[in-house]
């Protein structure tokens, strides 16, 4: 896996094949080997690849020299040098936040599947920035990746940069946060049913007023999880109260806003949060206010990361299976890049979620 610096990439990639003569302490290049042995760079390249076009003696001499001088091939320079005659087997991956547990598991799945099929990945972080996302797409395209896998940034509301990639014939696959503004392949979890089952579980444990903490409504996952929450209420005969809907998707904000939610005239006795970090923020705020978990209130998150096991009590949550999401995305992209499926065909795959019941919901109240 290679982390991609979008601000340095343009000059660094352009200068790969224009580097000045290396100093003695610098890594050995094929140009250095060619100069020392009095042969061409092309001959060195073929010899290192054990090409039968080069005599056995010449191959042995080049390989011996390279080994004695600890030569390490520059795989990026090599792929760029021959990009016009053979496609690069490099997949560009855009992650909103590398430190996020779910995105890190998706990335693990992407790398594992890509490696098994002979591909490498180049990873960049959008940091939830539209501008950074646009620059990354442009840089990946300019550097001839074979396709891009992306989860859009929270503040992305214009999609010209994605459409440009599709118009250029570059395979594009969305995961988790899909872009409905362009017609591209996508891999998502069943956000609606995950939320529906979680809220149904809260109701079955005795919660009658359930607050919803979600992300900004421009994200498709936010809409789907909110609809799952709302429909679960209606199916179980509970009325939807807009006063219990909060735009909040991180722990810090959850700890700030939750005391105010408890002060409402009809305070909630259950909480469903769009992710685990937000649910844990609710948990800590509730405990500081003297509420018992799960005796007084029930809490459910969405992710099933390591933090769900580290809190007290451990968090009931919806498992997203990020590794499988990553593998499915790679499978779609490589098949399109290799021409096994039409590059313009829109493929949609859904990965099923699973409710993981732990200590923040009172399972004792569930009727058997």
């Amino acid at each position: 896996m290679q982390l991609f610096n979008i601000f340095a990439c343009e000059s660094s990639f352009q200068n790969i094949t224009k580097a000045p003569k290396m100093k003695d302490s610098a890594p050995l290049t094929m140009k250095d080997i060619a100069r020392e042995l009095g042969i061409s760079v092309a001959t060195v390249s073929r010899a290192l690849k054990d090409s039968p076009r080069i005599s056995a003696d010449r191959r042995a001499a080049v390989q011996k020299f390279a080994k004695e001088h600890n030569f390490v091939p520059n795989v990026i320079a090599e792929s760029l040098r021959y990009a016009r005659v053979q496609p690069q087997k490099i997949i560009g991956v855009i992650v909103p936040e590398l430190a996020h547990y779910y995105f890190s598991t998706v990335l693990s799945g992407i790398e594992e599947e890509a490696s098994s099929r002979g591909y490498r990945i180049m990873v960049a972080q959008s940091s939830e920035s539209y501008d950074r996302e646009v620059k990354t797409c442009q840089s990946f395209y300019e550097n001839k990746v074979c396709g891009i896998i992306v989860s859009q940034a929270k503040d992305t509301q214009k999609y010209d940069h994605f459409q440009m990639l599709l118009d250029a014939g570059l395979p594009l696959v969305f995961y988790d946060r899909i872009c409905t503004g362009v017609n591209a392949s996508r891999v998502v979890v069943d956000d609606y049913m995950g939320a529906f089952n979680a809220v149904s579980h809260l109701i079955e444990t005795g919660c009658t007023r359930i607050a919803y903490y979600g992300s900004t409504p421009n994200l498709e996952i936010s809409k789907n999880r909110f609809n799952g929450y709302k429909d679960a209420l209606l199916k179980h005969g509970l009325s939807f109260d807009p006063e219990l809907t909060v735009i909040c998707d991180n722990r810090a904000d959850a700890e700030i806003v939750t005391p105010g939610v408890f002060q409402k005239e009809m305070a909630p006795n259950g909480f469903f949060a769009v992710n685990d970090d937000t649910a844990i923020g609710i948990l800590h705020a509730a405990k500081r206010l003297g509420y018992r978990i799960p005796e007084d209130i029930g809490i459910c998150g969405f992710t099933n990361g390591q933090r769900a096991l580290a809190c007290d009590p451990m968090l009931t949550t919806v498992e997203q299976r990020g590794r499988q999401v990553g593998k499915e995305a790679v499978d779609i992209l490589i098949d399109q890049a290799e021409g096994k499926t039409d590059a313009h065909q829109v493929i949609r795959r859904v990965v099923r979620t699973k409710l993981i019941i732990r200590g923040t919901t009172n399972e004792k109240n569930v009727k058997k």
Side-chain angles (χ1 to χ4, degrees), residues 294-330:
E295 291 82 2
D296 298 329
I297 65 168
I299 303 172
C300 185
F302 206 114
T303 300
N304 195 32
Q306 294 299 317
R307 294 174 186 174
L309 298 172
C311 57
D312 181 27
M314 291 190 289
L315 184 68
T316 293
T317 186
V318 178
E319 184 176 29
Q320 288 183 267
R321 299 177 61 205
R323 188 181 296 270
Q324 186 62 32
V325 170
K327 290 184 175 183
E328 296 283 352
V330 170

Side-chain angles (χ1 to χ4, degrees), residues 79-149:
S79 62
L80 286 174
R81 186 177 296 113
Y82 293 101
R84 292 185 179 181
V85 296
Q86 62 183 33
Q88 287 196 90
K89 303 187 80 171
I90 300 176
I91 299 170
V93 182
I94 303 178
V95 181
E97 184 182 352
L98 281 168
H100 193 287
Y101 173 82
Y102 175 66
F103 292 129
S104 69
T105 59
V106 173
L107 190 58
S108 294
I110 289 173
E111 184 170 35
E112 183 177 329
E113 184 68 13
S115 178
S116 72
R117 297 188 61 172
Y119 284 71
R120 291 173 288 121
I121 66 173
M122 185 178 291
V123 183
Q125 178 177 253
S126 69
S127 301
E128 305 290 11
S129 164
Y130 164 78
D131 291 335
R132 191 177 179 97
E133 182 180 85
V134 171
K135 291 177 181 178
T136 303
C137 285
Q138 181 178 356
S139 296
F140 278 164
Y141 176 72
E142 290 174 352
N143 290 292
K144 297 182 175 63
V145 296
C146 69
I148 296 176
I149 297 174

Side-chain angles (χ1 to χ4, degrees), residues 18-248:
K18 299 179 181 178
K21 183 178 179 181
M22 293 293 198
K23 298 179 180 179
D24 292 340
S25 60
L28 189 71
T29 68
M30 285 194 289
K31 187 180 292 186
D32 296 329
I33 298 175
R35 184 176 60 251
E36 291 295 327
L37 299 181
I39 57 179
S40 69
V41 174
T43 299
V44 173
S45 177
R46 294 189 184 105
L48 291 173
K49 293 177 180 177
D50 215 23
S51 171
R53 296 175 60 184
I54 308 300
S55 69
D57 289 344
R58 178 61 56 83
R59 276 182 278 158
V62 172
Q63 292 170 9
K64 179 182 178 183
F65 185 91
K67 184 177 181 180
E68 289 176 347
H69 292 81
N70 299 315
F71 171 74
V72 178
N74 186 330
V75 292
I76 294 178
E78 187 75 3
S79 62
L80 286 174
R81 186 177 296 113
Y82 293 101
R84 292 185 179 181
V85 296
Q86 62 183 33
Q88 287 196 90
K89 303 187 80 171
I90 300 176
I91 299 170
V93 182
I94 303 178
V95 181
E97 184 182 352
L98 281 168
H100 193 287
Y101 173 82
Y102 175 66
F103 292 129
S104 69
T105 59
V106 173
L107 190 58
S108 294
I110 289 173
E111 184 170 35
E112 183 177 329
E113 184 68 13
S115 178
S116 72
R117 297 188 61 172
Y119 284 71
R120 291 173 288 121
I121 66 173
M122 185 178 291
V123 183
Q125 178 177 253
S126 69
S127 301
E128 305 290 11
S129 164
Y130 164 78
D131 291 335
R132 191 177 179 97
E133 182 180 85
V134 171
K135 291 177 181 178
T136 303
C137 285
Q138 181 178 356
S139 296
F140 278 164
Y141 176 72
E142 290 174 352
N143 290 292
K144 297 182 175 63
V145 296
C146 69
I148 296 176
I149 297 174
V150 57
S151 181
Q152 75 173 60
K154 284 182 183 178
D155 66 351
T156 296
Q157 298 188 41
K158 295 188 295 183
Y159 314 114
D160 293 351
H161 55 304
F162 293 138
Q163 190 60 54
M164 177 272 293
L165 298 173
L166 293 172
D167 292 343
L170 191 70
L172 178 67
V173 180
F174 287 97
Y175 68 94
D176 190 53
R177 301 180 193 163
I178 64 173
C179 174
T180 57
V182 297
N183 203 23
S185 296
R186 62 203 56 184
V187 181
V188 297
V189 300
D190 56 343
D191 293 293
Y192 173 88
M193 284 306 302
F196 182 92
N197 292 334
V199 176
S200 294
H201 172 69
L202 285 168
I203 295 170
E204 290 164 1
T205 61
C207 298
T208 55
R209 285 182 56 78
I210 302 172
Y212 171 84
Y213 283 44
S215 301
T216 54
N218 67 296
L219 296 175
E220 195 68 14
I221 62 169
S222 299
K223 297 175 186 177
N224 291 336
R225 293 178 192 179
F226 175 73
N227 288 335
Y229 155 79
K230 191 174 180 180
D231 286 353
L233 295 178
L234 298 176
K235 182 177 180 180
H236 290 83
L238 299 180
S239 59
F240 167 69
D241 184 355
E243 289 292 315
L244 295 181
T245 300
V246 182
I247 301 300
C248 175

